[in-house]
């Protein structure tokens, strides 16, 4: 008579899913901690230290609140602008970089400088050493920078340097500044169009478009400045800036003359001619943009024909600029959802695909297939690219976002590393795609004498990765300044940017692996421990001590976030 089989509890299959949810919850806490400690987008921009400004303008003595750079006599040398927050979507290796861009009085770039960065310390430091890269945009205008796509990256800091250029392009997408009408419109003029106007907020994508608000912050409408689009339209003796009031549907509801270089009384004739100022009422800004300016027949103001015709023509130029900015913003949003594939990405994707196929094929144990692929992993992913799944990378992405648009190859590598153990029971990354793991496989049992940890020592060694993971969570959630690259050996493969901490971890780990097989992977790697934790296996349906450790890390992150 057979014994009755014990029914498996219905909750067991959900235990493994719970592990994944714990990791997701930790990532969310890390992300929330970064958001809570990040400066508000509408807060004051970081102060530009004069020493940094002097790297772009050697004679600089002061940088005023508007970004103008002045020498000790008060002469304007140029201006500077920061790419944050407009460029913060450009994620490098592990975070965005706030770039300081210098412009000459002729609106030509004179250089770049790093104001602050949330990217990995070693990558940022490597870029700071490359004067050639920091001056690679010198002499270019705003439009020339936006039109270029062939930028040279810094070797060893490719993703960080490309993200810096992307941040500059995002910031310059609507940052053209008028040299003739640099000051904002006067409220007394704006109130001719919006009687309750108190606040003027420049549009993020087109600063010549101002969002008009009341004292209580209630939106009243939009105001389009014809400057800088019409700065080169000369009436009788100079250009004129008009203000065009728009409703919520971008239809004209009135105009007002803001400032002019033209002569009185011509300017005053235009300023007080109600018929002229209401000439374009109810016209759509999109319709004005499609108008052929060469065929315009503008009825000018009597006694100020040239001034009024130039002022009116400027409205059409400004409308065209605004509509182009709308289209550019829409295209940018579309591009944000489409990855930019570079040669580096194609190669990395190919390596990942081959590695996954090899891991699940009968050839995985064949040295003729395995060894050439391992060489490829070490040389290309390791020494050439420095593409590793590390705690610095994962924390950076949790804090700042995933750079799937600019680094899709690396994103696919991380996706394969995290997802395949969950669903296939195979830790493909550690066994096939980690360069440091491959090197340890090559050093395994090369020496006759081997050391085997005793049963008393073994639990302490196995606890090291968990302790390191706890440190990672503390650093990430408390926003400490400690660089996480120092607890792992991976940056040592990009030796010319590596710090001594990561080099020491790499050397000690490889020496240890000569005497104890895969010593670093087993007793030192927090990333490997994380991937092994989510790997599905025969014990995945049981709650174990590792799960309590994971819950402890979650609680640790929550406490660090609160305090």
């Amino acid at each position: 008579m057979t014994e009755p089989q014990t029914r498996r509890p219905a909750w067991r299959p959900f235990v493994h899913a719970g592990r994944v949810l714990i990791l997701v919850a930790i990532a969310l806490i890390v992300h929330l901690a970064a958001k809570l400690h990040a400066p508000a987008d509408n807060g004051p921009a970081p102060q530009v230290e004069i020493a940094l400004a002097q790297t772009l303008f050697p004679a600089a003595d002061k940088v005023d609140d508007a970004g103008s750079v002045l020498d000790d006599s008060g002469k304007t040398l140029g201006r500077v602008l920061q790419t944050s927050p407009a460029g913060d979507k450009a994620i490098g290796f592990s975070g965005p970089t706030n770039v300081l861009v210098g412009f000459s009085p002729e609106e030509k770039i004179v250089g770049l400088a790093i104001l602050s960065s949330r990217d990995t310390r070693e990558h940022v430091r490597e870029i700071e050493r490359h004067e050639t890269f920091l001056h690679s945009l010198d002499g270019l205008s705003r439009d020339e920078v936006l039109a270029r796509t062939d930028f040279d990256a810094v070797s060893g800091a490719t993703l960080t340097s490309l993200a810096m250029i992307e941040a500059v392009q995002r910031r310059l997408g609507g940052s053209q500044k008028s040299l003739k009408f640099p000051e904002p419109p006067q409220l007394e003029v704006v109130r001719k169009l919006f009687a309750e106007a108190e606040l003027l907020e420049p549009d993020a994508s087109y600063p010549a478009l101002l969002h008009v608000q009341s004292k209580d912050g209630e939106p009243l409408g939009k105001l389009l400045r014809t400057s800088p689009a019409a700065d080169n339209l000369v009436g009788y003796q100079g250009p004129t800036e008009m203000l065009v009031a728009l409703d919520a549907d971008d239809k004209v509801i009135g105009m007002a003359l803001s400032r002019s270089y033209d002569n009185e009384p011509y300017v005053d004739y235009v300023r007080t001619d109600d018929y002229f100022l209401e000439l374009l009422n109810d016209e759509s800004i999109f319709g004005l943009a499609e108008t052929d300016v060469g065929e315009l027949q503008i009825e000018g103001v009597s006694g100020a024909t040239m001034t009024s015709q130039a002022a009116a023509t400027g409205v059409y130029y400004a409308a065209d600029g605004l509509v182009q900015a709308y289209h550019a913003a829409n295209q940018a949003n579309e591009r944000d959802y489409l990855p930019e594939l570079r040669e580096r990405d194609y190669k990395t994707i190919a390596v990942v695909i081959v590695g996954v196929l090899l891991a699940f094929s009968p050839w995985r144990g064949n040295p003729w297939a395995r060894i050439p692929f391992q060489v490829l992993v070490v040389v290309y992913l390791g020494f050439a690219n420095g593409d590793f799944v590390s705690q610095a990378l994962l924390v950076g992405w949790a804090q700042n976002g995933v750079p799937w648009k600019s680094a899709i190859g690396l994103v696919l590598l991380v996706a394969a590393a995290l997802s395949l153990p969950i669903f296939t029971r195979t830790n493909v990354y550690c066994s096939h795609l980690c360069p440091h793991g491959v090197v340890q496989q090559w050093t395994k049992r090369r020496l006759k004498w081997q050391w085997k940890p005793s049963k008393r020592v073994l639990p302490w060694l196995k606890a090291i990765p968990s302790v390191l993971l706890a440190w990672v969570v503390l650093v990430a959630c408390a926003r400490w300044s400690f660089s996480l690259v120092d607890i792992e050996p991976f940056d040592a493969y990009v030796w010319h940017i590596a710090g001594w901490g990561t080099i020491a971890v790499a050397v000690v780990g490889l020496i240890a692996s000569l005497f104890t097989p895969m010593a670093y992977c087993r007793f030192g790697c927090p990333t490997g421990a994380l991937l092994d934790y989510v790997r599905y296996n025969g014990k995945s349906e049981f709650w174990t001590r590792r799960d309590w450790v994971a819950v402890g890390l979650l609680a640790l992150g929550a406490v660090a976030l609160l305090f």
Side-chain angles (χ1 to χ4, degrees), residues 90-97 117-124 127 156-164 344 381 385-398 400-404 406-407 410-411 413-414 484-485 488 490-491 494 497:
I91 307 298
F93 180 78
S94 63
T97 297
S117 181
R118 300 204 296 270
D119 213 322
T120 308
R121 178 193 61 202
E122 283 74 12
H123 295 93
V124 175
I127 291 173
T158 302
L159 298 179
T160 302
S161 52
L162 289 176
M164 286 176 58
R344 168 194 175 111
L381 292 185
N385 280 2
D387 284 344
F388 290 84
V389 181
S390 67
Q391 292 304 302
L393 177 73
L394 295 176
V395 168
W397 288 8
N400 304 301
V402 177
W404 61 270
S406 59
L410 184 58
V411 171
L413 175 65
V414 174
L484 292 176
V485 299
E488 294 181 294
F490 307 134
D491 263 25
V494 192
I497 73 168

Side-chain angles (χ1 to χ4, degrees), residues 58-80:
D61 182 67
K62 178 184 177 182
V63 180
D64 65 19
D65 293 338
S68 297
V69 182
L70 312 174
D71 64 11
D72 55 4
S73 66
K75 178 184 176 182
T76 299
L77 303 174
R79 69 182 179 103
V80 292

Side-chain angles (χ1 to χ4, degrees), residues 258-301:
S258 178
R259 296 183 178 92
S260 180
Y261 284 88
D262 228 325
N263 291 359
E264 297 288 359
Y266 309 132
V267 174
D268 196 54
Y269 291 163
V270 176
R271 184 182 290 119
T272 58
D273 191 308
D274 291 338
Y275 174 79
F276 174 78
L277 297 176
E278 296 174 0
L279 189 63
L280 299 178
N281 280 13
D282 296 326
E283 292 283 346
S284 168
I285 207 75
F286 297 95
L288 296 178
E290 294 175 356
T291 303
D292 186 348
V293 178
E295 297 181 359
L296 277 176
Q297 299 293 326
I298 299 174
E299 183 179 350
V301 174

Side-chain angles (χ1 to χ4, degrees), residues 206 224 229 289 315-327:
Y206 195 66
L224 176 62
V315 175
Y316 291 88
Y317 276 70
D320 182 62
L322 176 58
V323 171
Q324 288 188 32
Y326 282 161
H327 291 328

Side-chain angles (χ1 to χ4, degrees), residues 371-504:
I371 293 177
F373 180 73
Q374 288 179 331
V375 172
L376 176 65
V377 167
V378 172
V379 172
Y380 181 70
L381 292 185
F383 290 109
N385 280 2
D387 284 344
F388 290 84
V389 181
S390 67
Q391 292 304 302
L393 177 73
L394 295 176
V395 168
W397 288 8
Q399 291 173 333
N400 304 301
V402 177
W404 61 270
K405 177 177 175 288
S406 59
I408 188 63
L410 184 58
V411 171
L412 181 62
L413 175 65
V414 174
L418 291 173
S419 62
L420 290 176
I422 296 174
F423 300 106
T424 68
R425 302 191 178 200
T426 302
N427 190 343
V428 174
Y429 177 76
C430 290
S431 61
H432 287 78
L433 294 172
C434 175
H436 197 62
V438 169
V439 175
Q440 286 183 89
Q441 291 179 39
W442 291 347
T443 60
K444 187 167 58 176
R445 295 188 176 88
R446 294 298 176 183
L447 297 179
K448 185 176 181 180
W449 185 84
Q450 296 287 294
W451 179 69
K452 184 178 181 180
S454 66
K455 291 183 178 180
R456 179 177 297 180
V457 174
L458 189 61
W460 292 97
L461 292 177
K462 287 184 175 182
I464 293 176
S466 298
V467 173
L468 291 176
L469 284 174
W471 177 248
V472 169
V473 172
L474 269 176
V475 169
C477 294
R479 298 291 289 172
W480 292 345
S481 60
F482 181 84
S483 179
L484 292 176
V485 299
D486 289 338
I487 67 171
E488 294 181 294
F490 307 134
D491 263 25
Y493 285 79
V494 192
W495 56 270
H496 56 283
I497 73 168
W500 288 111
T502 188
I503 290 175

Side-chain angles (χ1 to χ4, degrees), residues 35-99:
K35 290 297 182 183
L36 290 177
H37 290 83
D41 287 351
N42 58 356
Q47 183 67 35
V48 178
E49 296 182 2
I50 191 62
L52 187 62
Q54 287 171 344
T55 64
L56 305 178
F57 301 92
D61 182 67
K62 178 184 177 182
V63 180
D64 65 19
D65 293 338
S68 297
V69 182
L70 312 174
D71 64 11
D72 55 4
S73 66
K75 178 184 176 182
T76 299
L77 303 174
R79 69 182 179 103
V80 292
L81 58 80
Q82 304 176 27
T83 60
S84 182
D88 286 352
K89 288 185 179 180
I91 307 298
F93 180 78
S94 63
T97 297
N98 188 9
V99 183

